[in-house]
Amino acid sequence: MFCQQCEETARGLGCTAGGVCGKDNDTACYQDAVNFALSGLAYRKIHQPAGAKVPANTVKQDKDVVAILFATLTNVNFDKERFKTYLKTIISYRDAYPKISGEPKQCSWIPASEEDIVHLEGGIGLLAIEDENERSLFSLLLFGLKGMCAYYSHAEALGKTDPEIVSFIYKGLASRFEKHSIEERTALVLECGKMGVKMLALLDEANKHYGTTAITKVHCGVGTKPGILVTGHDLKDLEMLLEQTKGTGVDVYTHGEMLIAHAHPDFAKYDNLIGNYGTSWANQKDEFPKFGGPILFTTNCLVPPPEEYRKKIFTTGSVGFAGAVHIPEKADGSKDFSEIIAMAKKCKAPQDLKLTDITTGAGHDAVLAAAPKILQLINEKKIKRFVVMAGCDGRHKERVYYTEFAKALPKDVIILTAGCAKFRYNRLDLGDIEGIPRVLDAGQCNDSYSLVVIALELAKVLKTDVNALPLSFNIAWYEQKAILVFLTLLALGIKDIMIGPNLPACVSPDVLNTLVKQFGVQPNTTVEADMKTLHIV
Ligand code: SF4
Ligand code: SF3
């Protein structure tokens, strides 16, 4: 195996003997195989000559492509058997298209045996792309596409689709087997960012399904009844579970990225949605055993569970873990959560982690409603700067940097955030500036679009360019949705983004050079130095 898609990749280079995330060799190789076959399918689909006899209806195929690519994102699916099935599915979709004369031989790849997949060193993985810069650019593109598929699947679940985004997913995947110059590959990566803007806007629209978020203080204590803990990003799953637990005597709690649900009016109406339990995904091994009841994973981040609570793990959607009960979607889109509810009834109520309440829900509507006050505070120099500290959390100790950075910020600086990175500082009690909280949390990484809208609106009102605003970016990344958000920010023309705690390992020296020269991208260093670099002090 060779995987370097996340920030915690081994030695900052790549995982080769089992993933730091817990993904084993065979599952990693099957993920490579799935990605390889997806590129073959995409190539066949895109390059058919006019008049070719192609599948007439690709609705199911498109949905599966999105869900399967999402399954290869970090911490989503560790179940090799699921990837075996996915591989067959993709190959059957691919082979429903006629062969194209002169197509690259990779387009008709069929593994001779399992050995062919799990021991085929360099044959189907990204290392098979020999040119370092080509590999770097295709990796960035593929990771961005994985993020896009994650976001697309959420939007799709809430009835929002966009054929242009799906077409781009195929276009990007197909590019692996096409001949392109480095300039063209660079342009494709940036196009992925442009499509990211569309994607995030679509998801923002989709999430309105549950009403507009309001700035909300979320209860973080526990009740006396047994509970189900819901984690991941899929609000539709949470809604279905809340409907099915009504009147059963089972409470529901959110974990990690599900925190934002409490700020949506449609979720606030459930009286068995008690509060948020714990912090970010990175602490699940400490927090989950104390919860007592079963845990439902709707998306990443799943950490392979120890024996202690393994039997209490349920997965759904693209998530998978061998041995965990998987709750499938039925043909009508519904899911039956009765098994998890039955287990919860036999469990004890959660142990109180004694964590303070936290505030979330500062999406663009909520923040822009306070725009007159914010502008007044800017004019009075009571707000001097905003710093976007969005992104992911992770397990490594070095992420204490983000806590220290937030603590060290002058009191007239406001943090704009989204994603699980916030759990590094959202309980610091940083206070407010005349009623405007100093940590404005838009919600999930899925809600990053809010930060963009806030920045662009501020620029409009202040009649300036977004890069001339008193605004700095200090982004924490971990998985591939953050790569898409990063590319989206580049596509919007945002300069001088600081990114950490380590740069993506797939970035080659030449690609880094482009990112630095064209966009001013910079790695984070120390709190003290970065405060100056970002013009905060
Ligand atoms: Fe390693 Fe990250 Fe890939 Fe897991 S997802 S195998 S930790 S690079
Ligand atoms: Fe977090 Fe996994 Fe990226 Fe949604 S839950 S931001 S890491």
Side-chain angles (χ1 to χ4, degrees):
M1 68 175 280
F2 177 78
C3 182
Q4 57 174 188
Q5 65 180 1
C6 81
E7 193 273 337
E8 291 185 4
T9 193
R11 304 170 309 280
L13 294 169
C15 296
T16 51
V20 172
C21 60
K23 184 163 72 177
D24 62 26
N25 174 81
D26 291 11
T27 307
C29 292
Y30 264 97
Q31 291 188 355
D32 280 348
V34 159
N35 289 335
F36 195 80
L38 277 169
S39 283
L41 162 63
Y43 189 99
R44 283 257 177 97
K45 181 178 158 67
I46 286 182
H47 293 278
Q48 291 296 331
K53 207 168 164 288
V54 296
N57 182 338
T58 61
V59 174
K60 170 90 171 58
Q61 172 186 310
D62 297 346
K63 194 172 176 206
D64 285 347
V65 165
V66 166
I68 291 172
L69 196 51
F70 181 14
T72 70
L73 189 129
T74 299
N75 289 346
V76 174
N77 196 323
F78 296 83
D79 186 354
K80 181 174 90 172
E81 296 307 314
R82 289 267 294 284
F83 287 102
K84 279 188 181 174
T85 313
Y86 288 155
L87 184 58
K88 281 192 193 129
T89 306
I90 295 299
I91 289 178
S92 73
Y93 283 138
R94 182 193 72 189
D95 292 347
Y97 288 87
K99 272 193 176 181
I100 302 165
S101 101
E103 69 177 19
K105 66 175 186 330
Q106 296 99 319
C107 293
S108 49
W109 174 73
I110 301 229
S113 65
E114 174 152 334
E115 290 292 292
D116 208 15
I117 293 172
V118 299
H119 295 304
L120 199 68
E121 293 292 319
I124 48 174
L126 291 170
L127 282 180
I129 305 173
E130 279 168 21
D131 180 85
E132 176 186 52
N133 293 327
E134 200 178 307
R135 182 169 64 245
S136 177
L137 290 164
F138 182 72
S139 299
L140 272 179
L141 175 63
L142 178 66
F143 302 161
L145 292 174
K146 289 185 184 202
M148 199 175 294
C149 287
Y151 291 147
Y152 195 83
S153 81
H154 293 304
E156 195 177 42
L158 298 174
K160 294 279 174 199
T161 54
D162 181 345
E164 209 192 323
I165 295 174
V166 177
S167 295
F168 182 75
I169 293 169
Y170 283 110
K171 177 179 171 180
L173 286 168
S175 71
R176 179 171 185 169
F177 298 149
E178 293 166 350
K179 289 212 178 351
H180 288 290
S181 65
I182 290 301
E183 290 69 31
E184 284 166 347
R185 292 208 176 266
T186 308
L188 258 176
V189 172
L190 296 177
E191 194 180 340
C192 184
K194 272 200 198 118
M195 210 44 78
V197 181
K198 279 195 104 187
M199 181 62 254
L200 287 170
L202 185 75
L203 185 54
D204 184 64
E205 198 52 44
N207 284 340
K208 293 227 166 67
H209 180 81
Y210 297 110
T212 304
T213 61
I215 297 181
T216 307
K217 195 168 201 183
V218 180
H219 175 62
C220 293
V222 297
T224 53
K225 294 181 190 157
I228 297 171
L229 190 57
V230 189
T231 189
H233 304 70
D234 200 306
L235 296 172
K236 174 102 182 282
D237 288 332
L238 176 65
E239 181 190 19
M240 286 190 276
L241 183 73
L242 282 164
E243 281 300 320
Q244 292 176 38
T245 45
K246 265 186 191 167
T248 61
V250 171
D251 286 336
V252 175
Y253 294 80
T254 58
H255 186 267
E257 286 282 70
M258 276 294 177
L259 169 71
I260 188 64
H262 301 275
H264 281 282
D266 285 13
F267 286 108
K269 70 180 188 214
Y270 291 98
D271 54 15
N272 67 330
L273 179 62
I274 303 300
N276 189 73
Y277 191 82
T279 56
S280 86
W281 71 272
N283 301 317
Q284 61 188 258
K285 277 189 175 169
D286 290 334
E287 294 166 358
F288 287 0
K290 297 178 182 128
F291 184 73
I295 299 134
L296 174 66
F297 278 88
T298 66
T299 69
N300 57 309
C301 279
L302 167 65
V303 176
E307 229 19 83
E308 192 181 8
Y309 62 88
R310 186 170 284 190
K311 290 206 169 58
K312 289 184 175 164
I313 297 293
F314 289 73
T315 63
T316 190
S318 290
V319 194
F321 188 79
V325 177
H326 186 74
I327 298 170
E329 185 182 86
K330 295 190 205 162
D332 64 356
S334 68
K335 294 182 183 178
D336 177 3
F337 291 111
S338 51
E339 201 174 337
I340 187 167
I341 296 169
M343 181 187 281
K345 284 182 180 164
K346 294 186 212 135
C347 294
K348 284 192 190 142
Q351 185 183 321
D352 196 345
L353 297 176
K354 306 259 190 274
L355 291 169
T356 52
D357 293 350
I358 35 185
T359 301
T360 187
H364 57 86
D365 288 309
V367 172
L368 294 177
K373 178 73 189 171
I374 293 174
L375 289 171
Q376 179 207 324
L377 292 170
I378 294 174
N379 287 331
E380 293 171 358
K381 307 235 178 316
K382 289 179 180 158
I383 295 178
K384 290 238 181 72
R385 186 161 274 275
F386 297 86
V387 55
V388 175
M389 289 180 70
C392 307
D393 194 16
R395 285 168 284 213
H396 289 170
K397 286 209 174 63
E398 63 195 320
R399 284 186 192 253
V400 72
Y401 163 91
Y402 294 102
T403 312
E404 297 303 330
F405 190 91
K407 272 191 202 161
L409 286 170
K411 302 232 169 326
D412 50 13
V413 174
I414 288 200
I415 297 175
L416 299 175
T417 192
C420 60
K422 62 175 163 275
F423 286 101
R424 290 276 163 180
Y425 49 80
N426 64 354
R427 286 193 163 94
L428 287 181
D429 196 13
L430 295 179
D432 64 278
I433 303 176
E434 294 190 11
I436 305 293
R438 283 193 55 224
V439 179
L440 288 172
D441 171 27
Q444 303 176 342
C445 53
N446 300 23
D447 300 301
S448 302
Y449 183 69
S450 264
L451 311 182
V452 168
V453 173
I454 293 167
L456 295 178
E457 284 300 315
L458 266 181
K460 215 192 279 171
V461 184
L462 295 170
K463 298 194 177 55
T464 183
D465 175 76
V466 69
N467 288 306
L469 282 174
L471 174 71
S472 314
F473 286 80
N474 192 357
I475 305 285
W477 83 285
Y478 168 65
E479 36 75 7
Q480 299 82 58
K481 286 187 269 181
I483 298 277
L484 181 69
V485 174
F486 171 67
L487 297 178
T488 300
L489 294 175
L490 296 188
L492 286 165
I494 302 208
K495 298 268 193 291
D496 302 335
I497 297 170
M498 183 169 277
I499 182 164
N502 291 293
L503 291 174
C506 70
V507 172
S508 69
D510 287 349
V511 172
L512 180 61
N513 200 21
T514 308
L515 289 174
V516 173
K517 275 206 182 132
Q518 269 191 32
F519 300 98
V521 171
Q522 46 198 339
N524 71 329
T525 60
T526 63
V527 170
E528 214 186 1
D530 295 347
M531 286 281 165
K532 288 190 189 123
T533 312
L534 295 173
H535 311 291
I536 293 167
V537 291

